[in-house]
Amino acid sequence: MTKFFEPSVPASLAALFVIDKKSELEKYCNNLVIRSDELVRLILYSRLNGYLHGPAHEDFEPEEAELTTDDIEVLRQREAEKLPKVTRKIRNLFAVRKRLSAHLFYNGVKWHLFYFTFRDMDESGHWTHGSHIHFVNYLWPEYLPEQLEDLLFSERRTKISGIHIRYINSDDHS
C-alpha cells in the first residue's frame, strides 16, 4: 500500500515518456507491463516529471437498453411473470454499456494518452495477452491534442488506434 504514497513516477513510465522514436516506443511497449499502483503514481506525481494530468471519463449506455420506470416497478413489486424479461434487459444493459477512461499527460510540447474500458481490464478480454491499456502519444502525427477528446468520446467506438500495453491489478499480483 505504501507504493501509492511514494512521491515518484515509476521508472518504467518515466522511460516511456522520453522515448522519441515510434519504432523504439513500440518495441519498449511490447515488453512493458503496467501495474495499477504504477498508473496511480503516474497520475498523482506526473508533475514531478514535468507533466500535467488531465483525466476524462465517459459512460455509453444506449437509451433502448436503459431500464424504464415500468421495469423498476416490476422489480419493486416482484411481478414473477414479468421478471424474466426485466432480467434479460438488465443482462443486456451490462453487455452493451461501456465506460471509457482516459488519462492525458502533457507539458506544452509533448503529450501521452492512456485509455481503457472495463472490457480492456478483463483478463479474458478481447486482446490475446489479456488485461491491457491503450497508449498513443505525440509520435502519432495523425492525432493532435486538441482532437483527442472528440476522437475518444464522440462515438461509442474510439477513433484512435494506439498500441496495447499489458496491465495488471497490483492487488491481484503482489
Side-chain angles (χ1 to χ4, degrees):
M1 185 64 142
T2 58
K3 288 183 180 186
F4 284 117
F5 302 105
E6 290 177 19
S8 65
V9 172
S12 62
L13 297 177
L16 177 70
F17 282 16
V18 298
I19 298 171
D20 61 1
K21 289 190 174 121
K22 191 173 177 183
S23 60
E24 289 178 22
L25 178 80
E26 290 170 332
K27 185 178 178 183
Y28 182 77
C29 289
N30 279 339
N31 298 312
L32 181 61
V33 176
I34 298 176
R35 295 169 51 100
S36 58
D37 62 300
E38 293 172 328
L39 185 59
V40 169
R41 285 179 42 220
L42 175 64
I43 290 167
L44 292 174
Y45 303 116
S46 60
R47 288 179 186 255
L48 296 175
N49 232 29
Y51 285 87
L52 297 175
H53 168 247
H57 312 283
E58 184 77 30
D59 289 311
F60 298 92
E61 291 183 9
E63 263 185 58
E64 63 275 5
E66 291 180 10
L67 296 180
T68 65
T69 52
D70 289 343
D71 296 329
I72 303 298
E73 195 57 32
V74 167
L75 294 171
R76 191 182 339 268
Q77 298 296 326
R78 297 183 183 168
E79 298 177 40
E81 70 281 354
K82 294 181 181 177
L83 278 174
K85 180 181 177 186
V86 174
T87 302
R88 284 191 304 276
K89 194 169 181 181
I90 291 170
R91 271 196 219 110
N92 181 59
L93 177 60
F94 282 104
V96 298
R97 74 179 179 171
K98 177 182 175 183
R99 168 88 172 172
L100 177 62
S101 292
H103 295 275
L104 179 66
F105 300 90
Y106 56 97
N107 68 6
V109 178
K110 297 179 180 180
W111 59 269
H112 308 273
L113 175 70
F114 295 96
Y115 60 99
F116 51 89
T117 65
F118 288 142
R119 186 172 166 231
D120 296 331
M121 298 287 115
D122 187 1
E123 284 290 332
S124 61
H126 62 278
W127 189 46
T128 56
H129 300 292
S131 183
H132 66 281
I133 56 180
H134 301 266
F135 178 78
V136 66
N137 71 7
Y138 69 96
L139 297 173
W140 276 255
E142 64 269 32
Y143 304 124
L144 299 173
E146 57 271 11
Q147 299 172 317
L148 295 175
E149 185 175 341
D150 184 57
L151 293 170
L152 283 168
F153 300 114
S154 65
E155 297 178 14
R156 179 175 168 72
R157 186 159 174 80
T158 63
K159 299 179 209 170
I160 295 179
S161 181
I163 56 178
H164 292 79
I165 300 175
R166 286 180 202 89
Y167 177 88
I168 59 172
N169 184 344
S170 305
D171 295 335
D172 295 341
H173 301 86
S174 296

